[in-house]
Amino acid sequence: MTVEIEGITLHLAHPDELPVRWVGQEELMRQLLASWLVVDEHDLPMNPRLLGKPGVGKTTLACAGAKRMGREVYILQATLDTRPEDLLVTPVIEGAGKLRYVASPLVTAMIRGGVAILDEGNRMSEKSWASLAPLLDNRRYVESIVAGIKIKASPNFRLVTTMNDDASTFELPEYIHSRLQPQIFIDFPERDEEYQILKENLPFADERLLNYVTEFLQQAHAADERYTVRDGINIGRFTIKLRSLDPGPAGEARSLKISILETLGEEALRYVPRA
Ligand SMILES: Nc1ncnc2c1ncn2[C@@H]1O[C@H](COP(=O)(O)OP(=O)(O)OP(=O)(O)O)[C@@H](O)[C@H]1O
Ligand SMILES: [Mg+2]
């Protein structure tokens, strides 16, 4: 698909299709959707930031929120070397002396009135963030130096960024921080919610295994470990695979132990629940 802006033809990106459902922690979903609301003709949507440890569900919440709004979702994975043009418009050579201008997922969301998820935004440099500054305040546009055009966001456009608190992050300057509000912090879920999340992601696991893994995660959370539900999902999945090759009576405990060991290492074994 293409659109024309100020005489330049832009080739748009494809939306992402994700079969995700957000389970439990409804308050976080409520805050995300509230931040995107427009309650008056003078009001503007906000640009929320989802924070939390790797694997707590930041990307899942962002996608599920976009889905609840019924909008197209465009995910842009930020990395250390994401450049401003990667966020906006990239030129691609298309035959002799001809350039094709390709819109990023973010710019495509702006044009189509979709939701842009700027995933792992903490990995991106200040220079790249700076190119988004006018988009994140009441101006709601970006300027592509490469294509020489100004691109305005549709009123339906929404943005969310996710950031985790590991070490591989840039310190962002205050003018960027202040444009990425509110900050919605995702913490470990309560026991029954964690069970439901595991069940949602491993619908073929039996109740016993789901309970084991939930118990394991809850004990690890209580001890302030960084293990998250993603680790739990991996442990459950690998246990089921191992167990299918080891169907004997001791197979379950053995499979669980190997799975935890190979997923998280020796130290994690101390949280294995007693059968
Ligand atoms: N509330 C939830 N409902 C459903 N699934 C969840 C929920 N929380 C986490 N998950 C599942 O946990 C896994 C990890 O979630 P996700 O990838 O969103 O984490 P993340 O915080 O974005 O991690 P990272 O920082 O590494 O990108 C996914 O498989 C996701 O489906
Ligand atoms: Mg993520």
Side-chain angles (χ1 to χ4, degrees):
M1 224 182 101
T2 61
V3 293
E4 205 170 296
I5 296 176
E6 297 175 8
I8 296 283
T9 303
L10 279 186
H11 293 256
L12 301 185
H14 295 286
D16 290 285
E17 305 281 351
L18 299 133
V20 287
R21 212 166 69 87
W22 179 251
V23 177
Q25 304 194 82
E26 256 320 296
E27 174 58 17
L28 300 176
M29 178 63 85
R30 198 179 72 90
Q31 289 177 15
L32 173 61
L33 295 178
S35 72
W36 278 339
L37 274 183
V38 174
V39 297
D40 181 272
E41 60 177 308
H42 303 291
D43 190 21
L44 286 172
M46 299 175 81
N47 309 300
R49 181 169 13 159
L50 306 183
L51 301 168
K53 295 190 170 60
V56 286
K58 298 180 295 295
T59 307
T60 306
L61 177 59
C63 293
K67 225 168 119 179
R68 283 212 200 168
M69 301 248 302
R71 301 279 166 80
E72 286 180 347
V73 186
Y74 294 86
I75 302 180
L76 203 155
Q77 192 68 42
T79 64
L80 296 175
D81 46 18
T82 296
R83 302 159 304 167
E85 57 259 46
D86 300 323
L87 293 174
L88 306 176
V89 176
T90 15
V92 177
I93 294 168
E94 193 188 45
K98 266 199 82 183
L99 283 182
R100 165 196 275 246
Y101 291 103
V102 179
S104 71
L106 174 73
V107 163
T108 304
M110 288 172 60
I111 292 168
R112 302 216 5 113
V115 173
I117 301 174
L118 200 41
D119 214 8
E120 318 243 354
N122 53 301
R123 292 179 197 277
M124 203 166 79
S125 69
E126 176 187 349
K127 186 171 174 208
S128 295
W129 274 111
S131 69
L132 300 183
L135 177 65
L136 302 175
D137 57 34
N138 54 10
R139 291 173 285 174
R140 288 181 57 89
Y141 66 75
V142 293
E143 255 164 320
S144 164
I145 311 281
V146 170
I149 53 173
K150 183 190 260 190
I151 305 164
K152 293 189 74 167
S154 150
N156 286 334
F157 169 71
R158 298 291 184 274
L159 183 138
V160 57
T161 183
T162 75
M163 297 192 179
N164 60 40
D165 56 5
D166 69 10
S168 60
T169 58
F170 280 102
E171 264 313 311
L172 294 178
E174 193 47 41
Y175 76 97
I176 297 297
H177 273 293
S178 63
R179 284 170 163 83
L180 297 173
Q181 300 289 0
Q183 306 179 56
I184 301 173
F185 188 81
I186 309 184
D187 209 344
F188 297 129
E190 301 292 332
R191 180 184 300 264
D192 57 330
E193 286 176 329
E194 195 143 57
Y195 179 93
Q196 292 303 331
I197 296 169
L198 289 169
K199 194 173 154 82
E200 168 75 17
N201 286 273
L202 297 169
F204 45 89
D206 64 36
E207 202 178 311
R208 250 167 79 89
L209 178 63
L210 292 173
N211 273 315
Y212 270 136
V213 178
T214 307
E215 185 57 31
F216 168 83
L217 287 174
Q218 289 290 321
Q219 291 205 23
H221 301 333
D224 238 359
E225 295 282 0
R226 290 177 67 85
Y227 311 151
T228 58
V229 70
R230 177 189 287 139
D231 300 314
I233 294 167
N234 285 331
I235 289 168
R237 201 186 291 285
F238 194 35
T239 303
I240 293 166
K241 292 180 197 302
L242 289 167
R243 172 80 167 135
S244 73
L245 301 177
D246 185 1
E252 180 163 76
R254 196 159 36 224
S255 302
L256 184 67
K257 190 173 162 193
I258 296 173
S259 180
I260 291 176
L261 184 67
E262 306 297 13
T263 308
L264 296 171
E266 188 91 45
E267 323 80 78
L269 289 177
R270 77 183 74 154
Y271 305 110
V272 176
R274 258 163 242 179

